[in-house]
Amino acid sequence: MNENGKTKVAVLVSGGGTNLQAIIDKIQNGELAQIELVKVISSKEDAFALERAAKAGIKTAVAKEQEDVLRELETSGAQIVVLAGYMKVLSPEIIKNYRNRIINIHPSLIPKYCGKGFYGIRVHRAVLEGGETESGATVHYVDEGVDTGEIILQKKVPVLEGDTPEALAARVLQVEHEILAKGLAYAAEKLQEA
Ligand code: GAR
């Protein structure tokens, strides 16, 4: 907790940042009033997520190497780290230093369509190729594996007749925004209890 009783959170991004935006919006509308975003760290300098952060007055950094990510996290004073469309695998050192304090949003119903190679639109393509009738999103803690950490919550969406990967992605994204905020609130509460 910081001086004002809020939990300090850093968000790691690589792309458009709609999940980051959902967190920003929910802090502003009071649904995540207990959270303070202390830094947004991007693996890419041209990620639109950086513009969203700057517009909301949040500090930003670009860090391509894991030692730079760790340094940025340490200087930010973040207590919790959110991976919101972060397309890299974190180093074991970061995992160790932030054990049970890193959460990730994944666009499928883990254990299905997750792990190495399953990210972004590839996930939705595979779900359609697999003939699934439902998909969804998962918020989970991050451990040394890829998408293997303890699940915090999931929400399903239907796969509809004639779905394209893009249409399915958009439907899943809606529930991502909802459950990422809930998962973050849960992780922050757990941390304060500890
Ligand atoms: C989201 O669908 C997120 O779940 C996914 O990338 C997208 C990022 O969108 N993450 C992964 O696939 C990680 N394995 P956003 O930048 O608009 O939040």
Side-chain angles (χ1 to χ4, degrees):
M1 214 183 281
N2 66 13
E3 316 72 46
N4 51 22
K6 298 188 180 187
T7 304
K8 294 185 178 191
V9 173
V11 183
L12 266 57
V13 297
S14 298
T18 67
N19 277 290
L20 167 67
Q21 190 68 54
I23 295 172
I24 293 170
D25 292 348
K26 286 178 189 343
I27 290 171
Q28 288 174 354
N29 76 14
E31 282 177 61
L32 280 177
Q34 71 279 37
I35 300 298
E36 178 182 354
L37 292 185
V38 290
K39 200 179 276 181
V40 170
I41 304 167
S42 176
S43 62
K44 292 187 181 165
E45 59 264 295
D46 60 351
F48 187 64
L50 288 171
E51 289 182 40
R52 296 181 189 271
K55 195 168 168 219
I58 304 160
K59 282 185 198 155
T60 61
V62 176
K64 295 184 182 176
E65 306 302 330
Q66 291 296 297
E67 52 263 39
D68 298 330
V69 175
L70 180 56
R71 207 188 49 240
E72 291 293 349
L73 287 175
E74 284 172 351
T75 58
S76 76
Q79 298 162 287
I80 289 183
V81 181
V82 176
L83 310 189
Y86 184 65
M87 298 303 176
K88 289 193 159 192
V89 176
L90 290 177
S91 66
E93 195 183 0
I94 295 179
I95 308 284
K96 191 171 118 243
N97 290 8
Y98 290 87
R99 175 94 44 210
N100 293 324
R101 296 196 287 135
I102 310 173
I103 66 170
N104 178 46
I105 178 78
H106 183 78
S108 80
L109 297 172
I110 292 175
K112 287 189 157 188
Y113 304 100
C114 65
K116 214 162 173 261
F118 286 108
Y119 54 86
I121 201 73
R122 290 168 182 237
V123 173
H124 307 294
R125 225 177 265 144
V127 167
L128 294 180
E129 279 165 12
E132 302 289 342
T133 56
E134 61 182 20
S135 189
T138 304
V139 182
H140 64 93
Y141 284 109
V142 175
D143 65 10
E144 281 79 0
V146 181
D147 303 330
T148 52
E150 185 193 336
I151 291 173
I152 300 174
L153 77 162
Q154 297 187 302
K155 188 164 178 173
K156 293 177 180 174
V157 303
V159 173
L160 302 179
E161 192 78 27
D163 255 349
T164 59
E166 290 74 19
L168 178 57
R171 197 174 308 120
V172 171
L173 207 47
Q174 295 299 319
V175 307
E176 289 185 39
H177 298 165
E178 181 191 327
I179 70 170
L180 180 56
K182 289 189 177 149
L184 175 55
Y186 171 88
E189 201 183 310
K190 279 273 167 203
L191 181 75
Q192 302 306 346
E193 284 170 12

